Amino acid sequence: MKSLNDSISVLPGVGPKKMVALNKLNINTIADLLGAYPFRYEDFATRKLSEVSDQQKVALKGTVASEPVISRFGRKKNRLNFRLLIEHDVIMVTFFNQAYLAKQVETGKSLAVYGKWDAKRQSLTGIKILAAAADDELGGVYRSSKEIKQSQVKKLVAEAFKEYQELIVDLIPEKLRHKYRLMSRKEMIRNIHFPDNQKIAKLARRTGVFEEFFLFQVKMQYLKRHSRIKNGIQIKYDLQKLRSFIAGLPFTLTPAQKRVVNEICYDLHHKYHMNRLLQGDVGSGKTIVAAIALYAAVTAGFQAALMVPTEILAQQHAEKFVQLFKGLDVNLVLLTSATASKAKQRRELLKNLENGQIDIVIGTHALIQDDVNFAKIGIVVTDEQHRFGVSQRQVLRQKGKSPDVLMMTATPIPRTLALTAYGEMEVSTIDELPKGRKIIKTFWLKNSQLAQAYSFIQKQLKEHAQAYIVSPLIAESEMMDLKNAEEVYAKTKKLFEPQYHVGLLHGKMSSDEKRQIMAAFKDHQIDVLVSTTVIEVGVDVTNATVMMILDAERFGLAQLHQLRGRVGRGERQSYCLLLADPKNEYGVARMKVMVQTNDGFMIAQKDLELRGQGDILGSKQAGMPEFKLGDPVADLNVLQVAQKEAAQVVNNPAFDDSQNKDPLFKYVKHSLSTGMSFD
Ligand code: ADP
Ligand code: MG
């Protein structure tokens, strides 16, 4: 029986070679092929000669004014020439290696040709002859590759549509299609691939965007409902031990920290599979929450892992956790690529992870290498989640028998975008800073005021505070960054030494060097730390009160906010100095946002408004799903409606009945079971 899940190999002309080529484009089945929408359209509406510019691809219509002439050269090459009269102009049309078109070219006949216009020679290099009726037609342009041409993809799509269109059923419930005046699925697919005109193409896209968001949301929400119930592990932590651990901390938890600890503990204790995002602004105190979660697992006899994006951060966390767990029966190790370079040590470590001697491991993505195995992993926590992609998230999750997962991020995501980025997760939010924190005062200075900035730093140093100076980022070249940092370092030394010590930190250093520098800064042997952005995430030195950022306009808002978050971590008043001469209004607006607010959520929202979603999240980085038609920002209102309607559908108990014959239900089951829904 025919099915949309049939392999593309059933189509005429698809042999093993083409099959591989199509597979590479992620096209395996008929359904995939029908869903391989054109990424743009060629406009076949005919134009007047006077509106056409040189080298433009256009459709021109005229009367054939000369017999077609075919000239052959070489063994296989040929050229077809004829003249076309367009109003009062005569142009030359040339087709290469398409001599067979000559039969369609008759003197005196009206003809429309699509091709590339050469203004100087008044000639058109033909691409195709258009059907007479197709005056307003659009031609889809498809993703293709070296192995398969886009015209071949297009032909296969047409073939698949012809053979399988009867099998295309509606997934969006009829009621909703009616309510939002959407096309049937079959009409939508036809009109996205082969629109008769612009207007129809637009309408079809509108339906397609809704469908895409709606299906995505239905899947996410269905998964969320189910993953909680599905075979998770139960972590029966020792409440007494946990309580006394929390009581022994040097501070009391904020109400928000208490709340999220409760949310996490609830999940741990139940047979749910925890899949939780913990978001909280920089400095809100996520680390201690992670420590509590890890420790809870250990008291229940499980192992626990903390994964962070940089070595510095891994080291810092390891040091902090050793302090926190002092006197408790916790065996904690650090696993980074620096450990990896010491083969014997690494082997030993892996052995102890595998036999369960190690309770907690803290590391970079060295943690997710193939040869890292756990005896009994209970929970995995990732810090600075926005630095990891979906696939890294997944690998870690697969490390044990579905351990509970907690992902922490300080890059607050506007709620609406969180719907798509982390739609499958529960979200906990720390929405207050520890008491006594003063708001960081932020100043925007012109580069010409650099001397003032330095004297401001000097005043702070006199009061025994410390400062960071972040050197600008140049065109993503690490070498250039380094050179720049070294210049700033030299200049700063000249100004401040010998009274004060100046240190330099950059990405080209070995992790040992980095660790030494950070330790010296922490111990106040260094007063001013000049650094490239390697300090961006998570670094915690409470005595630092000034963050000066050079060429601040080169950084993204989220990054500036992260950098600023390195100060203001203690009770002293802290300052952020942004040195910038932005070249346009947009740059000015960004500096103003930084001066006006310390609220990460607000900044994320502003960033979104100023830049659009692609930049703010870097879709791959943040694990944003990629949509084929919809744009979560530009089509936000559609996304919201789709989200609301999807919830209605999923929350109806009848939906999850295994007897449900609804094509939507079958589709959801199928795509979740084949795992093709998220990456
Ligand atoms: P982030 O959420 O940015 O990772 P951290 O966990 O590094 O923040 O915490 C920032 C600083 O606040 C740390 O020095 C930490 O020890 C301190 N801190 C965390 N929670 C509290 C609290 N409840 N009261 C006082 N200080 C706290
Ligand atoms: Mg942190």
Side-chain angles (χ1 to χ4, degrees):
M1 218 175 55
K2 266 164 60 172
S3 143
L4 291 174
N5 293 319
D6 286 351
S7 157
I8 39 170
S9 62
V10 302
L11 294 175
V14 180
K17 250 181 153 171
K18 270 210 187 123
M19 174 108 157
V20 171
L22 287 161
N23 291 165
K24 276 194 199 153
L25 296 172
N26 277 331
I27 299 172
N28 302 302
T29 64
I30 299 293
D32 295 340
L33 189 60
L34 293 176
Y37 301 135
F39 60 87
R40 67 178 174 85
Y41 295 102
E42 282 172 334
D43 185 356
F44 295 146
T46 52
R47 292 286 145 85
K48 283 200 161 82
L49 257 189
S50 56
E51 350 174 294
V52 182
S53 48
D54 191 33
Q55 302 305 313
Q56 190 187 349
K57 284 186 183 166
V58 288
L60 295 173
K61 194 171 172 182
T63 312
V64 178
S66 72
E67 286 291 321
V69 177
I70 298 173
S71 16
R72 300 185 185 275
F73 41 97
R75 281 179 46 158
K76 287 191 182 149
K77 300 196 168 142
N78 62 60
R79 185 172 61 209
L80 165 69
N81 274 325
F82 59 90
R83 288 175 207 282
L84 197 64
L85 173 68
I86 305 174
E87 291 181 12
H88 304 291
D89 298 297
V90 174
I91 67 161
M92 178 64 85
V93 178
T94 308
F95 279 94
F96 289 98
N97 306 319
Q98 294 184 67
Y100 56 87
L101 291 175
K103 345 189 246 310
Q104 296 180 50
V105 183
E106 276 171 47
T107 317
K109 193 180 136 183
S110 161
L111 198 69
V113 183
Y114 184 73
K116 194 177 198 180
W117 176 242
D118 184 326
K120 211 162 94 203
R121 304 165 106 141
Q122 293 282 295
S123 72
L124 190 73
T125 306
I127 295 169
K128 64 190 268 184
I129 290 179
L130 301 174
D135 204 19
D136 198 14
E137 199 186 317
L138 295 176
V141 183
Y142 291 81
R143 282 214 311 134
S144 58
S145 65
K146 242 195 248 150
E147 292 95 20
I148 188 154
K149 285 197 293 196
Q150 77 101 7
S151 61
Q152 288 173 304
V153 177
K154 186 172 184 168
K155 225 171 114 196
L156 288 171
V157 171
E159 184 70 30
F161 187 77
K162 196 176 96 209
E163 290 300 318
Y164 284 85
Q165 55 176 312
E166 298 317 323
L167 297 181
I168 300 175
V169 292
D170 285 304
L171 297 176
I172 302 175
E174 155 118 51
K175 213 176 79 199
L176 294 182
R177 270 193 294 132
H178 194 75
K179 182 169 170 189
Y180 298 109
R181 279 167 294 148
L182 304 171
M183 288 180 189
S184 73
R185 183 152 218 265
K186 189 165 120 187
E187 281 315 297
M188 170 194 86
I189 289 177
R190 180 209 305 280
N191 288 311
I192 285 180
H193 288 294
F194 316 107
D196 283 339
N197 55 51
Q198 293 274 11
K199 198 171 147 215
I200 280 278
K202 273 210 182 104
L203 285 173
R205 181 184 176 277
R206 180 176 170 276
T207 295
V209 170
F210 184 94
E211 186 195 86
E212 197 172 26
F213 287 155
F214 177 76
L215 295 180
F216 176 77
Q217 287 294 340
V218 169
K219 278 186 284 192
M220 285 292 204
Q221 294 184 34
Y222 184 77
L223 196 70
K224 194 157 151 182
R225 264 177 91 96
H226 275 253
S227 64
R228 288 185 71 75
I229 304 161
K230 231 176 45 193
N231 55 17
I233 40 178
Q234 205 171 1
I235 297 180
K236 292 187 183 154
Y237 54 85
D238 185 327
L239 185 60
Q240 260 347 88
K241 283 187 184 169
L242 213 55
R243 281 206 174 124
S244 72
F245 175 64
I246 293 172
L249 295 175
F251 42 72
T252 45
L253 297 181
T254 62
Q257 283 171 319
K258 279 186 198 146
R259 193 184 61 237
V260 303
V261 165
N262 279 335
E263 286 165 0
I264 292 164
C265 283
Y266 184 85
D267 276 5
L268 292 180
H269 203 79
H270 285 75
K271 220 172 148 40
Y272 296 143
H273 175 227
M274 177 166 78
N275 194 15
R276 188 173 283 281
L277 181 77
L278 172 58
Q279 61 173 348
D281 213 343
V282 278
S284 62
K286 294 182 292 295
T287 315
I288 194 65
V289 174
I292 294 168
L294 298 179
Y295 182 59
V298 174
T299 66
F302 285 93
Q303 290 171 300
L306 173 63
M307 183 161 96
V308 300
T310 66
E311 303 226 327
I312 290 196
L313 200 54
Q315 268 155 4
Q316 181 186 285
H317 279 340
E319 279 158 25
K320 196 170 221 168
F321 283 30
V322 165
Q323 287 293 322
L324 283 169
F325 296 134
K326 214 176 224 165
L328 300 173
D329 188 19
V330 174
N331 183 7
L332 183 148
V333 297
L334 179 66
L335 177 62
T336 63
S337 50
T339 333
S341 62
K342 297 167 193 140
K344 193 164 153 234
Q345 192 189 334
R346 182 165 192 273
R347 232 177 302 132
E348 183 78 1
L349 201 153
L350 293 186
K351 202 184 80 202
N352 288 334
L353 268 180
E354 233 172 309
N355 65 24
Q357 294 225 7
I358 292 171
D359 299 313
I360 295 179
V361 59
I362 297 179
T364 54
H365 25 259
L367 271 182
I368 54 174
Q369 262 135 38
D370 281 344
D371 56 348
V372 180
N373 294 304
F374 294 88
K376 201 180 176 194
I377 181 88
I379 183 170
V380 171
V381 180
T382 59
D383 196 8
E384 306 300 344
Q385 167 58 36
H386 59 287
R387 292 287 204 90
F388 297 108
V390 179
S391 50
Q392 283 171 316
R393 249 146 71 181
Q394 237 131 2
V395 174
L396 203 53
R397 210 174 297 170
Q398 284 149 9
K399 279 279 165 199
K401 206 169 156 264
S402 52
D404 283 339
V405 173
L406 178 68
M407 296 169 180
M408 309 198 292
T409 180
T411 302
I413 300 169
R415 212 184 64 78
T416 40
L417 280 189
L419 291 180
T420 54
Y422 298 106
E424 91 278 24
M425 306 176 78
E426 304 286 331
V427 178
S428 288
T429 306
I430 305 184
D431 51 8
E432 66 187 323
L433 298 181
K435 266 219 280 298
R437 288 289 166 73
K438 300 207 171 65
I439 286 188
I440 303 162
K441 290 191 177 153
T442 302
F443 300 99
W444 167 29
L445 306 172
K446 297 277 160 64
N447 284 323
S448 57
Q449 296 170 288
L450 184 63
Q452 276 156 269
Y454 270 110
S455 66
F456 183 86
I457 291 178
Q458 190 154 24
K459 262 196 226 131
Q460 290 290 310
L461 297 182
K462 251 189 212 143
E463 291 169 25
H464 308 287
Q466 291 163 273
Y468 294 98
I469 299 178
V470 176
S471 67
L473 197 76
I474 294 170
E476 294 180 7
S477 143
E478 262 190 74
M479 278 324 283
M480 289 294 279
D481 287 352
L482 176 56
K483 191 167 156 278
N484 230 284
E486 275 167 348
E487 273 168 26
V488 175
Y489 174 57
K491 180 181 165 120
T492 310
K493 262 170 96 111
K494 218 165 132 191
L495 277 169
F496 292 144
E497 290 197 340
Q499 262 144 300
Y500 303 106
H501 286 128
V502 181
L504 175 65
L505 185 71
H506 59 77
K508 290 267 176 210
M509 288 175 157
S510 76
S511 52
D512 259 356
E513 287 173 301
K514 282 188 219 162
R515 190 172 46 80
Q516 279 166 19
I517 297 280
M518 276 320 293
F521 189 58
K522 210 163 186 163
D523 293 346
H524 206 162
Q525 290 159 27
I526 291 175
D527 301 283
V528 182
L529 184 64
V530 175
S531 170
T532 55
T533 48
V534 287
I535 57 155
E536 181 193 338
V537 290
V539 169
D540 187 35
V541 177
T542 34
N543 191 49
T545 60
V546 188
M547 166 61 66
M548 172 160 101
I549 303 169
L550 299 171
D551 284 359
E553 77 275 10
R554 290 179 194 261
F555 296 91
L557 278 184
Q559 213 179 0
L560 289 175
H561 183 61
Q562 281 270 345
L563 285 168
R564 176 167 64 183
R566 295 313 108 214
V567 296
R569 301 176 82 82
E571 296 192 352
R572 299 174 80 146
Q573 177 62 53
S574 290
Y575 305 90
C576 176
L577 310 180
L578 304 171
L579 274 287
D581 290 334
K583 291 186 186 55
N584 52 33
E585 264 172 68
Y586 164 61
V588 171
R590 289 169 58 230
M591 292 305 122
K592 285 190 175 157
V593 169
M594 288 303 295
V595 171
Q596 276 159 9
T597 181
N598 264 283
D599 177 345
F601 281 91
M602 179 86 99
I603 289 174
Q605 187 60 44
K606 290 278 181 207
D607 207 6
L608 183 63
E609 285 162 20
L610 288 169
R611 300 211 297 184
Q613 166 247 354
D615 280 333
I616 194 179
L617 290 168
S619 60
K620 289 234 164 55
Q621 232 189 31
M624 287 287 282
E626 282 175 51
F627 293 106
K628 285 188 287 193
L629 296 172
D631 173 341
V633 173
D635 304 314
L636 185 59
N637 53 348
V638 185
L639 178 61
Q640 283 167 324
V641 171
Q643 143 102 8
K644 190 186 81 190
E645 297 292 359
Q648 290 258 334
V649 168
V650 174
N651 291 335
N652 179 352
F655 183 70
D656 197 15
D657 182 340
S658 56
Q659 302 300 307
N660 190 349
K661 292 270 187 311
D662 183 354
L664 175 62
F665 182 69
K666 280 201 216 149
Y667 165 84
V668 168
K669 283 297 226 193
H670 177 78
S671 68
L672 289 178
S673 70
T674 51
M676 45 190 219
S677 48
F678 295 117
D679 270 326

